[in-house]
Amino acid sequence: MESLPEAVLIRILASIPAVDLVLVCRLVCCQWKNLVDGAALWILKCQQEGLTRAESDAENWQNFYFLSKKRKNLIKNPCGEEDLEHWGEVENGGDGWKIEELPGDFGKEFPSEEVHKYFVTSYEWCRKAQVIDLRAEGYWEELMDTTQPKIMVRDWYAGRSDAGCLYELCVKLLSENEDVLAEYKSETVTIPQDNDASWTEVSYSYGLSRPGVRFVRFEHGGQDTLFWKGWYGVRVTNSSVTVEP
């Protein structure tokens, strides 16, 4: 192997799974360590797997590769397909949370055909939250602290056309000890009675997350403004938190 041209060796290494490159091949010798730590190998792996990015934008191609491969929605059960499974710190004001089928009474279909259900609130404040453990999701400390990747948050809300409602979103980036490193809190959105029941997306991006981020806490909720018994409050669905390259 020592006699192989470097370009040939890079092509051979590029056929090996990424985790093995970092955990095994990198330890073989100084030459392999330098190749695994270098850009050329990871640029080739990105090209082979269709992960594109302008070279001038990539500071660390290895991190870009891993972040791209791991990119997924970290919110579990975002659309109520599993009732309230995975949602904690649930506040059930009024008659509490309920899951309904789209479009629902006095509602509209969701923009994506993949979404079939939503959560709906009642006549007093209903809140629910998820705390995402980034290490458990495969984002190790060095990756988060050196790359400080973008963390993107999205949520969708709507009212029903015959009732007014309120909506709030709060997202916190937390340290190992769950200290708040950064926080986004929306204004309290007021949807009037006789609205068009259309779905609205709210999004926020932590352009550079902070060193030390280990958890993301996502919380949303609302209520109706007419205090009608039942489920006339804000509807929420398709929530997402993603770590972006």
Side-chain angles (χ1 to χ4, degrees), residues 51-89:
L51 305 176
T52 58
R53 185 182 194 181
E55 289 197 36
S56 58
D57 294 339
E59 296 182 3
N60 188 314
W61 280 91
Q62 182 184 136
N63 287 345
F64 171 73
Y65 175 88
F66 278 108
L67 288 170
S68 297
K69 295 293 286 185
K70 288 181 176 294
R71 183 163 44 189
K72 64 178 181 178
N73 185 7
L74 301 177
I75 292 285
K76 296 178 174 61
N77 186 28
C79 304
E81 298 290 347
E82 301 173 72
D83 197 43
L84 284 169
E85 188 73 21
H86 304 296
W87 291 97
E89 303 178 54

Side-chain angles (χ1 to χ4, degrees), residues 5-16 18 21 35-36 38-53 55 58 60-62 64-65 69:
E6 188 171 281
V8 175
L9 183 54
I10 286 175
R11 289 198 168 274
I12 294 172
L13 291 174
S15 65
I16 297 173
L21 285 173
L35 291 178
V36 172
L41 172 60
W42 297 100
I43 290 174
L44 179 57
K45 284 191 75 66
C46 287
Q47 290 172 344
Q48 290 175 340
E49 299 185 34
L51 305 176
T52 58
R53 185 182 194 181
E55 289 197 36
N60 188 314
W61 280 91
Q62 182 184 136
F64 171 73
Y65 175 88
K69 295 293 286 185

Side-chain angles (χ1 to χ4, degrees), residues 109-161:
E109 291 288 358
F110 192 76
S112 170
E113 294 181 356
E114 296 178 356
V115 178
H116 305 289
K117 294 184 178 181
Y118 59 83
F119 303 90
V120 58
T121 60
S122 190
Y123 58 86
E124 291 180 351
W125 270 97
C126 297
R127 293 183 175 88
K128 57 187 177 70
Q130 282 193 36
V131 177
I132 299 164
D133 184 338
L134 293 171
R135 285 173 299 189
E137 296 292 343
Y139 299 95
W140 59 93
E141 288 91 338
E142 183 182 359
L143 180 66
M144 294 301 299
D145 293 346
T146 59
T147 308
Q148 297 176 39
K150 178 170 65 175
I151 296 177
M152 175 65 70
V153 178
R154 295 183 176 88
D155 200 21
W156 288 82
Y157 66 88
R160 46 184 290 161
S161 61

